[in-house]
Amino acid sequence: MESCPLCSNQSQLHSEPLFPAWMNASENPTLNICGTCQTRFERNAAFTMEFFKERAFLKKTNEPDYYDTFYGSELHLKRSRIALLYFLVGLNLKQHLIGSFDRLAHDFNGRFIEENDYHLWAAFNPEHIETISAPVRTRIEGLNATECCILGYHFFLITDQRPLPAKSLIQQLEQEQDLTIMHAGIEKDIYEDFEAFMEEFNSRKK
């Protein structure tokens, strides 16, 4: 028996890839975790098949109207947000299992993600449709976060314990009925695109 690096339980350890096997990532290192944690990652992998490949949560795509707006977007069923959070938190934990994200590990193991104030923002860029990149540290809205790209989707996960700013654009978007994913412009600063997208998005609601 060995100690699982994620949950610390004493158990026989099993090999687990960083990315779900179906993604066929060119670089996909493995780590050793217990069977219980592996089962949870298998559920995450099943969700990613539904989200990315089968598009089971996609409600509709809004194409940009160049006479009115520049940005398109995707609307996904809101219930996909929690599953997406668990996938992203799990991916971050796999990448940083050497003590970097103790709070994320505690909440992931205890299934407290939906009870705590976790935030994500996503943008889709078709130029990166074949990209699969591991999470890296970044900052967004003045807070610590991580960024990764999965098959064209850039995901930003807030890892900071501090609350989002009062005028947070991410928080504004989270209030919507659907999970809204912006279509990014071509090779611009994604957050600058997000600010412009939200300006358009809010003006269309008035």
Side-chain angles (χ1 to χ4, degrees):
M1 295 289 183
E2 298 178 74
S3 178
C4 174
L6 179 55
C7 68
S8 299
N9 287 337
Q10 295 294 315
S11 179
Q12 182 178 353
L13 301 186
H14 307 271
S15 179
E16 170 70 19
L18 176 62
F19 297 105
W22 74 265
M23 291 184 179
N24 297 317
S26 58
E27 294 185 13
N28 201 8
T30 60
L31 63 158
N32 294 320
I33 57 175
C34 70
T36 300
C37 289
Q38 188 177 47
T39 297
R40 298 188 64 196
F41 286 127
E42 287 173 355
R43 290 198 292 268
N44 283 356
F47 163 75
T48 63
M49 283 278 290
E50 294 178 329
F51 187 89
F52 294 102
K53 194 172 184 178
E54 299 169 8
R55 311 289 277 170
F57 297 93
L58 180 64
K59 289 183 66 175
K60 67 175 181 177
T61 299
N62 293 324
E63 298 295 338
D65 177 353
Y66 292 100
Y67 293 101
D68 180 44
T69 179
F70 178 75
Y71 294 97
S73 62
E74 295 177 4
L75 302 182
H76 297 255
L77 295 173
K78 193 165 187 175
R79 69 174 185 268
S80 64
R81 182 179 180 275
I82 293 298
L84 196 53
L85 274 170
Y86 270 100
F87 165 66
L88 293 173
V89 170
L91 186 64
N92 276 272
L93 289 172
K94 288 182 184 181
Q95 177 74 355
H96 299 286
L97 265 179
I98 308 176
S100 296
F101 290 132
D102 292 340
R103 180 176 68 98
L104 267 65
H106 173 269
D107 291 347
F108 184 83
N109 287 322
R111 302 187 182 184
F112 301 136
I113 297 296
E114 58 266 51
E115 297 176 13
N116 289 316
D117 205 20
Y118 281 86
H119 303 275
L120 71 88
W121 168 58
F124 178 72
N125 188 334
E127 291 193 349
H128 301 155
I129 192 67
E130 296 183 359
T131 300
I132 300 176
S133 64
V136 295
R137 293 176 185 270
T138 187
R139 290 180 67 82
I140 189 167
E141 296 197 342
L143 299 176
N144 296 319
T146 62
E147 177 187 4
C148 63
C149 183
I150 309 290
L151 303 173
Y153 288 88
H154 291 262
F155 293 108
F156 295 83
L157 174 69
I158 305 296
T159 57
D160 209 307
Q161 296 190 53
R162 293 172 293 173
L164 289 171
K167 296 183 179 180
S168 165
L169 298 179
I170 293 174
Q171 201 155 39
Q172 289 179 35
L173 202 56
E174 287 177 347
Q175 308 306 313
E176 297 301 312
Q177 289 299 310
D178 301 308
L179 171 65
T180 303
I181 297 179
M182 177 191 83
H183 284 190
I186 299 173
E187 295 303 328
K188 287 178 63 180
D189 180 277
I190 289 183
Y191 194 77
E192 285 185 12
D193 274 353
F194 183 42
E195 291 175 324
F197 170 80
M198 287 302 294
E199 185 175 345
E200 289 182 354
F201 187 82
N202 290 327
S203 68
R204 291 198 300 271
K205 293 196 300 181
K206 293 178 180 178

PDB file of all heavy atoms in Angstrom, residues 83-97:
ATOM      1  N   ALA A  83     -19.820  20.514 -13.685  1.00  0.00           N
ATOM      2  CA  ALA A  83     -18.991  19.418 -14.197  1.00  0.00           C
ATOM      3  C   ALA A  83     -17.711  19.961 -14.830  1.00  0.00           C
ATOM      4  O   ALA A  83     -16.635  19.372 -14.683  1.00  0.00           O
ATOM      5  CB  ALA A  83     -19.785  18.595 -15.208  1.00  0.00           C
ATOM      6  N   LEU A  84     -17.819  21.098 -15.506  1.00  0.00           N
ATOM      7  CA  LEU A  84     -16.642  21.726 -16.107  1.00  0.00           C
ATOM      8  C   LEU A  84     -15.677  22.199 -15.025  1.00  0.00           C
ATOM      9  O   LEU A  84     -14.455  22.045 -15.152  1.00  0.00           O
ATOM     10  CB  LEU A  84     -17.080  22.896 -16.984  1.00  0.00           C
ATOM     11  CG  LEU A  84     -16.098  23.465 -18.002  1.00  0.00           C
ATOM     12  CD1 LEU A  84     -15.549  22.372 -18.909  1.00  0.00           C
ATOM     13  CD2 LEU A  84     -16.772  24.542 -18.836  1.00  0.00           C
ATOM     14  N   LEU A  85     -16.209  22.752 -13.942  1.00  0.00           N
ATOM     15  CA  LEU A  85     -15.359  23.166 -12.821  1.00  0.00           C
ATOM     16  C   LEU A  85     -14.606  21.975 -12.238  1.00  0.00           C
ATOM     17  O   LEU A  85     -13.401  22.048 -11.969  1.00  0.00           O
ATOM     18  CB  LEU A  85     -16.201  23.833 -11.734  1.00  0.00           C
ATOM     19  CG  LEU A  85     -16.455  25.333 -11.885  1.00  0.00           C
ATOM     20  CD1 LEU A  85     -17.502  25.800 -10.890  1.00  0.00           C
ATOM     21  CD2 LEU A  85     -15.173  26.128 -11.705  1.00  0.00           C
ATOM     22  N   TYR A  86     -15.305  20.852 -12.031  1.00  0.00           N
ATOM     23  CA  TYR A  86     -14.631  19.670 -11.478  1.00  0.00           C
ATOM     24  C   TYR A  86     -13.541  19.162 -12.429  1.00  0.00           C
ATOM     25  O   TYR A  86     -12.459  18.761 -11.988  1.00  0.00           O
ATOM     26  CB  TYR A  86     -15.638  18.563 -11.178  1.00  0.00           C
ATOM     27  CG  TYR A  86     -16.189  18.639  -9.777  1.00  0.00           C
ATOM     28  CD1 TYR A  86     -17.432  19.184  -9.529  1.00  0.00           C
ATOM     29  CD2 TYR A  86     -15.438  18.181  -8.693  1.00  0.00           C
ATOM     30  CE1 TYR A  86     -17.934  19.271  -8.229  1.00  0.00           C
ATOM     31  CE2 TYR A  86     -15.920  18.264  -7.404  1.00  0.00           C
ATOM     32  CZ  TYR A  86     -17.164  18.808  -7.171  1.00  0.00           C
ATOM     33  OH  TYR A  86     -17.645  18.904  -5.885  1.00  0.00           O
ATOM     34  N   PHE A  87     -13.821  19.184 -13.724  1.00  0.00           N
ATOM     35  CA  PHE A  87     -12.807  18.751 -14.680  1.00  0.00           C
ATOM     36  C   PHE A  87     -11.580  19.655 -14.609  1.00  0.00           C
ATOM     37  O   PHE A  87     -10.443  19.179 -14.559  1.00  0.00           O
ATOM     38  CB  PHE A  87     -13.378  18.741 -16.101  1.00  0.00           C
ATOM     39  CG  PHE A  87     -12.314  18.648 -17.159  1.00  0.00           C
ATOM     40  CD1 PHE A  87     -11.535  17.508 -17.289  1.00  0.00           C
ATOM     41  CD2 PHE A  87     -12.084  19.715 -18.030  1.00  0.00           C
ATOM     42  CE1 PHE A  87     -10.544  17.428 -18.269  1.00  0.00           C
ATOM     43  CE2 PHE A  87     -11.105  19.641 -19.004  1.00  0.00           C
ATOM     44  CZ  PHE A  87     -10.331  18.499 -19.125  1.00  0.00           C
ATOM     45  N   LEU A  88     -11.801  20.983 -14.591  1.00  0.00           N
ATOM     46  CA  LEU A  88     -10.681  21.927 -14.587  1.00  0.00           C
ATOM     47  C   LEU A  88      -9.901  21.875 -13.279  1.00  0.00           C
ATOM     48  O   LEU A  88      -8.667  21.925 -13.280  1.00  0.00           O
ATOM     49  CB  LEU A  88     -11.188  23.342 -14.850  1.00  0.00           C
ATOM     50  CG  LEU A  88     -11.766  23.593 -16.249  1.00  0.00           C
ATOM     51  CD1 LEU A  88     -12.379  24.975 -16.330  1.00  0.00           C
ATOM     52  CD2 LEU A  88     -10.684  23.420 -17.313  1.00  0.00           C
ATOM     53  N   VAL A  89     -10.618  21.777 -12.150  1.00  0.00           N
ATOM     54  CA  VAL A  89      -9.922  21.652 -10.870  1.00  0.00           C
ATOM     55  C   VAL A  89      -9.105  20.365 -10.854  1.00  0.00           C
ATOM     56  O   VAL A  89      -7.937  20.345 -10.434  1.00  0.00           O
ATOM     57  CB  VAL A  89     -10.913  21.700  -9.692  1.00  0.00           C
ATOM     58  CG1 VAL A  89     -10.219  21.329  -8.380  1.00  0.00           C
ATOM     59  CG2 VAL A  89     -11.519  23.094  -9.563  1.00  0.00           C
ATOM     60  N   GLY A  90      -9.698  19.270 -11.309  1.00  0.00           N
ATOM     61  CA  GLY A  90      -8.968  18.003 -11.354  1.00  0.00           C
ATOM     62  C   GLY A  90      -7.752  18.071 -12.252  1.00  0.00           C
ATOM     63  O   GLY A  90      -6.678  17.550 -11.911  1.00  0.00           O
ATOM     64  N   LEU A  91      -7.882  18.726 -13.399  1.00  0.00           N
ATOM     65  CA  LEU A  91      -6.751  18.877 -14.315  1.00  0.00           C
ATOM     66  C   LEU A  91      -5.635  19.687 -13.670  1.00  0.00           C
ATOM     67  O   LEU A  91      -4.448  19.345 -13.781  1.00  0.00           O
ATOM     68  CB  LEU A  91      -7.225  19.549 -15.603  1.00  0.00           C
ATOM     69  CG  LEU A  91      -6.214  19.662 -16.745  1.00  0.00           C
ATOM     70  CD1 LEU A  91      -5.806  18.284 -17.242  1.00  0.00           C
ATOM     71  CD2 LEU A  91      -6.812  20.477 -17.897  1.00  0.00           C
ATOM     72  N   ASN A  92      -6.004  20.756 -12.964  1.00  0.00           N
ATOM     73  CA  ASN A  92      -5.005  21.556 -12.256  1.00  0.00           C
ATOM     74  C   ASN A  92      -4.319  20.744 -11.168  1.00  0.00           C
ATOM     75  O   ASN A  92      -3.104  20.854 -10.970  1.00  0.00           O
ATOM     76  CB  ASN A  92      -5.665  22.800 -11.652  1.00  0.00           C
ATOM     77  CG  ASN A  92      -5.782  23.942 -12.642  1.00  0.00           C
ATOM     78  OD1 ASN A  92      -4.880  24.748 -12.788  1.00  0.00           O
ATOM     79  ND2 ASN A  92      -6.898  23.993 -13.358  1.00  0.00           N
ATOM     80  N   LEU A  93      -5.083  19.928 -10.458  1.00  0.00           N
ATOM     81  CA  LEU A  93      -4.482  19.121  -9.393  1.00  0.00           C
ATOM     82  C   LEU A  93      -3.508  18.097  -9.961  1.00  0.00           C
ATOM     83  O   LEU A  93      -2.438  17.857  -9.400  1.00  0.00           O
ATOM     84  CB  LEU A  93      -5.575  18.421  -8.583  1.00  0.00           C
ATOM     85  CG  LEU A  93      -6.405  19.342  -7.691  1.00  0.00           C
ATOM     86  CD1 LEU A  93      -7.576  18.586  -7.081  1.00  0.00           C
ATOM     87  CD2 LEU A  93      -5.541  19.949  -6.596  1.00  0.00           C
ATOM     88  N   LYS A  94      -3.875  17.487 -11.057  1.00  0.00           N
ATOM     89  CA  LYS A  94      -2.951  16.538 -11.684  1.00  0.00           C
ATOM     90  C   LYS A  94      -1.642  17.224 -12.064  1.00  0.00           C
ATOM     91  O   LYS A  94      -0.561  16.667 -11.911  1.00  0.00           O
ATOM     92  CB  LYS A  94      -3.589  15.933 -12.945  1.00  0.00           C
ATOM     93  CG  LYS A  94      -4.703  14.942 -12.693  1.00  0.00           C
ATOM     94  CD  LYS A  94      -5.184  14.417 -14.042  1.00  0.00           C
ATOM     95  CE  LYS A  94      -6.359  13.492 -13.921  1.00  0.00           C
ATOM     96  NZ  LYS A  94      -6.806  12.979 -15.240  1.00  0.00           N
ATOM     97  N   GLN A  95      -1.761  18.436 -12.588  1.00  0.00           N
ATOM     98  CA  GLN A  95      -0.583  19.170 -13.049  1.00  0.00           C
ATOM     99  C   GLN A  95       0.272  19.664 -11.889  1.00  0.00           C
ATOM    100  O   GLN A  95       1.484  19.787 -12.013  1.00  0.00           O
ATOM    101  CB  GLN A  95      -1.035  20.354 -13.925  1.00  0.00           C
ATOM    102  CG  GLN A  95       0.068  21.257 -14.425  1.00  0.00           C
ATOM    103  CD  GLN A  95       0.890  20.616 -15.528  1.00  0.00           C
ATOM    104  OE1 GLN A  95       0.703  19.454 -15.872  1.00  0.00           O
ATOM    105  NE2 GLN A  95       1.825  21.370 -16.081  1.00  0.00           N
ATOM    106  N   HIS A  96      -0.350  19.944 -10.758  1.00  0.00           N
ATOM    107  CA  HIS A  96       0.373  20.583  -9.650  1.00  0.00           C
ATOM    108  C   HIS A  96       0.233  19.788  -8.347  1.00  0.00           C
ATOM    109  O   HIS A  96       0.005  20.368  -7.290  1.00  0.00           O
ATOM    110  CB  HIS A  96      -0.169  22.000  -9.425  1.00  0.00           C
ATOM    111  CG  HIS A  96      -0.016  22.905 -10.606  1.00  0.00           C
ATOM    112  ND1 HIS A  96       1.186  23.444 -10.984  1.00  0.00           N
ATOM    113  CD2 HIS A  96      -0.912  23.356 -11.504  1.00  0.00           C
ATOM    114  CE1 HIS A  96       1.013  24.197 -12.072  1.00  0.00           C
ATOM    115  NE2 HIS A  96      -0.243  24.154 -12.398  1.00  0.00           N
ATOM    116  N   LEU A  97       0.368  18.475  -8.436  1.00  0.00           N
ATOM    117  CA  LEU A  97       0.125  17.666  -7.246  1.00  0.00           C
ATOM    118  C   LEU A  97       1.181  17.829  -6.164  1.00  0.00           C
ATOM    119  O   LEU A  97       0.988  17.380  -5.049  1.00  0.00           O
ATOM    120  CB  LEU A  97       0.008  16.188  -7.621  1.00  0.00           C
ATOM    121  CG  LEU A  97      -1.430  15.713  -7.835  1.00  0.00           C
ATOM    122  CD1 LEU A  97      -1.453  14.244  -8.237  1.00  0.00           C
ATOM    123  CD2 LEU A  97      -2.259  15.907  -6.587  1.00  0.00           C
TER     124      LEU A  97
END
